[in-house]
Amino acid sequence: MVRSLRWRLQFWYACVLITVVAGYGLFLYFQVRDARRKEIDKELISAANYLDTSLRNFEPIPKDGMIRKKDGPPPKKDNPPPPVDRLASPNERTLRELTPPGWPESGGRKGELYYVIWRHDKSVIKAVDIPPDLEPPVSDRDFGIDALISNRREFREAIRMGPRRAIIVVGLSTVHLHDEMNRFAGVLAISGLALLLLGLLGGWVFSARMIRPVRKISETASRISAVNLSERIDTSRIDKELADLAVVLNDAFDRLETSFAQQARFTADASHELRTPLAIIKSHVELALSRPRSPEEYTSTLEATGKAADRMYSIVEGLLTLARADSGRLDLIREQVNFTGIVEECLLLLTPLAEKSDVRLRSELIFAQVMADTGALAQVVRNLLNNAIQYNRPGGEAFVRLSREVDSIVLAIRNNGPGIPEADQSHIFERFYRVDKARARTSGGNGLGLAICKSIVEAMGGQIQFTSSADETTFTVKLPELKTGIEGDV
């Protein structure tokens, strides 16, 4: 079968339509045939009963068909006998003229209706239009005083027992009935074929209307490309079943458009971030080579280019980390980690930066262990604590709290700096997104820190969230707790 939804619909519709039309035609044919047979049987039985009733009023009829007078003197020898008709009794004359009601005076319908009355010894009392070689029934045991309908050759007959065990047979040739039913079957076949063709044509048109929305959806989807992601499927004129599919596709197109936009912005941001240190390196090299320099000047130039190279290396490493996270290949070595020790090391490491920024560090820690990658977890804590120091106000405080909630260990880092504007909060974990772009570049940030933190925490089965108000921001990292006694099984 052709792999086409429209053809499959048409095929099954045709099967159902053929079954219905053929079934109804056969049902109608047999109903009409049975009705005609019942009508004929009724006519035959009525004629047989009429003949039986008429025969019961007659005197016994001799085999020669004549009934002579029982009383009176015998005829004289000199006088010739009168004609039979003149000697026949009224019963005999009536018998000769006996015709079932509704039959033509000359007998039954010529070539169709006939009747015959046999005596018990198989001699014929009267026969009208009987077919040639029609024999009386072999045995009279199978019928009685009630007429019995039977088929013999092409004839349908009503047979019953008459008075004095006479056999009454009234029959009809069924050739005419067969011809009539054949013509009726032809009419049914032609009507059914016409109805079938009309139904198939209607089904083809209907299936085309059903498939039309699918074709529109396909055409709309084919027009959507990298340079045209804004077009959507119009769901106002689509049936509910296909409208649901169109809504799903529109949602997918929305996500695709968003993804393309993010990719384009990411490419632009990455190019911009990499171009800045490259420009620094290029300008320092050109400046150093413009004329002979002293050793101190060359040393200063190399230090500047080294810092630019470090920044570029940091960006590339961050991008590689995010690329591995996106592809699910962020290779983390998950092991039993002393979360408390990592936080204390990070606090100790960033204390000079906090003192330089006039930010007071304060902590409240519990002993906690988690299953995590030591280096990646330390990177998360350093990034969050570094942000809490750099984006704080002079004289502010960065508070680090390690606590337990049900089956999780929660790290909360709060700072007193200016809060994150509400318009920026939904983009805070996007790559290269900075709330204060100018300040971030002067502080060395590349806009990848929070995106990397989110990827690492989620890769370790945790969650990272934040809350921010006008003068306070808190980042929260929640990781599953490693409980004592199941450490070896985790």
Side-chain angles (χ1 to χ4, degrees):
M1 181 184 294
V2 180
R3 296 187 64 82
S4 166
L5 179 60
R6 186 180 185 185
W7 277 105
R8 283 202 294 272
L9 286 174
Q10 188 68 16
F11 172 76
W12 288 111
Y13 177 71
C15 291
V16 173
L17 189 60
I18 290 173
T19 303
V20 171
V21 171
Y24 181 74
L26 291 175
F27 173 77
L28 186 60
Y29 174 83
F30 287 115
Q31 287 293 316
V32 171
R33 191 192 67 174
D34 291 344
R36 287 288 296 128
R37 282 185 174 179
K38 289 179 181 178
E39 183 181 351
I40 292 172
D41 294 346
K42 183 179 179 181
E43 182 180 7
L44 296 177
I45 292 173
S46 176
N49 291 338
Y50 175 80
L51 294 175
D52 175 70
T53 303
S54 300
L55 287 176
R56 292 184 186 280
N57 296 325
F58 292 164
E59 293 294 332
I61 301 174
K63 292 183 179 180
D64 56 5
M66 296 184 298
I67 299 177
R68 295 175 177 82
K69 294 182 179 179
K70 296 180 180 179
D71 299 332
K76 296 179 179 179
K77 296 182 179 179
D78 297 338
N79 298 327
V84 175
D85 287 341
R86 293 176 57 187
L87 296 175
S89 67
N91 285 347
E92 290 176 292
R93 290 195 296 271
T94 304
L95 178 61
R96 293 190 183 95
E97 299 173 355
L98 183 60
T99 302
W103 285 36
E105 293 298 330
S106 60
R109 291 191 290 273
K110 197 66 177 178
E112 297 181 11
L113 283 168
Y114 62 89
Y115 76 87
V116 58
I117 304 172
W118 282 287
R119 291 186 181 85
H120 180 64
D121 58 0
K122 312 303 184 196
S123 60
V124 176
I125 298 176
K126 184 173 181 179
V128 176
D129 295 336
I130 61 173
D133 303 330
L134 184 68
E135 299 293 335
V138 176
S139 173
D140 58 0
R141 295 180 181 178
D142 296 334
F143 55 90
I145 58 175
D146 294 328
L148 174 69
I149 298 296
S150 67
N151 294 311
R152 181 162 47 169
R153 299 186 307 191
E154 72 272 20
F155 306 108
R156 191 167 181 84
E157 297 177 335
I159 306 174
R160 64 160 299 159
M161 184 74 73
R164 300 174 189 86
R165 302 185 64 184
I167 302 173
I168 302 171
V169 176
V170 181
L172 173 71
S173 173
T174 58
V175 174
H176 177 72
L177 176 62
H178 288 161
D179 293 341
E180 179 183 347
M181 294 309 300
N182 287 337
R183 289 193 297 273
F184 182 65
V187 172
L188 283 179
I190 295 174
S191 302
L193 183 60
L195 183 62
L196 181 62
L197 292 177
L198 183 62
L200 291 177
L201 179 61
W204 183 256
V205 175
F206 181 73
S207 62
R209 292 177 62 85
M210 292 290 293
I211 297 299
R212 188 179 304 166
V214 178
R215 185 178 295 110
K216 288 184 177 179
I217 292 174
S218 177
E219 292 173 353
T220 303
S222 64
R223 288 195 298 269
I224 295 177
S225 62
V227 295
N228 180 24
L229 292 171
S230 59
E231 188 167 350
R232 295 293 181 268
I233 300 170
D234 184 9
T235 60
S236 60
R237 296 183 178 180
I238 300 179
D239 294 334
K240 182 178 182 306
E241 292 79 4
L242 292 177
D244 294 341
L245 174 62
V247 170
V248 173
L249 289 176
N250 283 338
D251 292 341
F253 296 150
D254 289 340
R255 291 193 295 272
L256 185 63
E257 184 178 16
T258 303
S259 177
F260 267 76
Q262 290 177 346
Q263 183 180 10
R265 187 170 63 248
F266 173 79
T267 303
D269 291 342
S271 300
H272 180 75
E273 293 298 329
L274 290 174
R275 187 176 60 182
T276 301
L278 284 175
I280 294 175
I281 294 174
K282 184 173 182 297
S283 62
H284 279 79
V285 171
E286 289 176 349
L287 182 64
L289 296 177
S290 62
R291 60 180 176 83
R293 301 285 181 179
S294 64
E296 291 76 12
E297 290 175 327
Y298 283 122
T299 301
S300 176
T301 299
L302 291 175
E303 289 176 352
T305 55
K307 291 180 181 178
D310 290 341
R311 177 174 174 77
M312 193 163 55
Y313 178 80
S314 174
I315 295 173
V316 172
E317 281 295 312
L319 292 176
L320 287 175
T321 301
L322 293 173
R324 293 192 191 100
D326 290 342
S327 61
R329 294 185 291 109
L330 189 61
D331 298 328
L332 299 178
I333 301 175
R334 301 191 65 180
E335 57 186 355
Q336 180 177 341
V337 173
N338 183 354
F339 200 178
T340 307
I342 290 178
V343 175
E344 290 175 343
E345 289 179 1
C346 292
L347 286 169
L348 183 62
L349 181 65
L350 293 173
T351 295
L353 178 63
E355 293 176 350
K356 182 180 178 181
S357 303
D358 192 18
V359 173
R360 183 167 64 93
L361 292 179
R362 191 165 66 88
S363 62
E364 180 180 320
L365 309 177
I366 63 170
F367 177 75
Q369 290 182 321
V370 295
M371 289 295 295
D373 184 284
T374 304
L377 184 58
Q379 184 179 1
V380 172
V381 177
R382 281 198 307 271
N383 283 343
L384 296 179
L385 189 55
N386 183 67
N387 287 346
I389 296 172
Q390 290 192 354
Y391 298 103
N392 212 321
R393 59 180 173 79
E397 177 185 84
F399 177 67
V400 181
R401 185 171 187 266
L402 196 60
S403 61
R404 180 177 288 106
E405 289 184 4
V406 192
D407 295 329
S408 301
I409 300 299
V410 179
L411 170 69
I413 300 178
R414 186 185 65 205
N415 68 75
N416 301 122
I420 301 173
E422 188 174 352
D424 297 319
Q425 291 185 4
S426 59
H427 306 285
I428 200 67
F429 289 110
E430 293 180 4
R431 299 164 189 185
F432 296 114
Y433 191 85
R434 300 182 181 90
V435 176
D436 187 349
K437 298 176 176 56
R439 182 179 177 187
R441 285 200 173 89
T442 57
S443 63
N446 53 28
L448 296 176
L450 290 177
I452 293 174
C453 289
K454 187 172 187 294
S455 299
I456 292 174
V457 171
E458 292 179 350
M460 291 189 297
Q463 297 176 344
I464 181 169
Q465 299 172 337
F466 75 96
T467 59
S468 182
S469 60
D471 55 358
E472 183 178 289
T473 299
T474 303
F475 278 85
T476 304
V477 174
K478 183 182 293 186
L479 292 174
E481 180 184 12
L482 177 62
K483 295 184 178 179
T484 304
I486 60 173
E487 297 174 358
D489 299 330
V490 177

